[in-house]
Amino acid sequence: MPLRSAAVGRRRALSMTSLIDVIFLLLLFFMLSSTFTRFSEIPLTAASAGTGAATAPPLFLQLGSDDLRLNGARIELSNLIQQADQFLKQGDRQVLVALGNNVSSQRLVDLMVQLASRPELSVTVLQ
């Protein structure tokens, strides 16, 4: 019967240090990457049945995938507030937004950010 050497029969103890280091680095990476992500909230109001007559007609925005129309006239998104000021009278603060086909959510968010610069406007997104 052959003799086994002591080195062959014995296994070396597994070191957990490198595994702990990898887990720590992954944890650190995900913690740091989550702090750089910013989330914001944009309030949306869906159109519902009216409760009373409006004093003046609202502004009507048609948002397309590559164009924007204010009361039927084509405008640029960057000039929206200046153009809207021409139509708004003292009591008018209602804005209706109709979404066209293939409008991305980012495009809607860009529009809502522009409109959020005027907090007195009441924005309703039509379904």
Side-chain angles (χ1 to χ4, degrees), residues 46-54 94 124:
S48 61
T51 57
Q94 182 69 30
T124 304

Side-chain angles (χ1 to χ4, degrees), residues 8-9 12 18 23-24 27 29 32 49 55 61 63 70-71 80 85 88 91 96 98 101 103:
V8 174
R12 192 171 157 210
S18 60
I23 291 172
F24 176 74
L27 180 66
F29 170 75
L32 286 175
T55 58
L61 287 173
L63 182 63
L70 175 63
N71 289 345
L80 173 63
D85 283 340
L88 289 173
L96 298 177
N101 294 335
V103 174

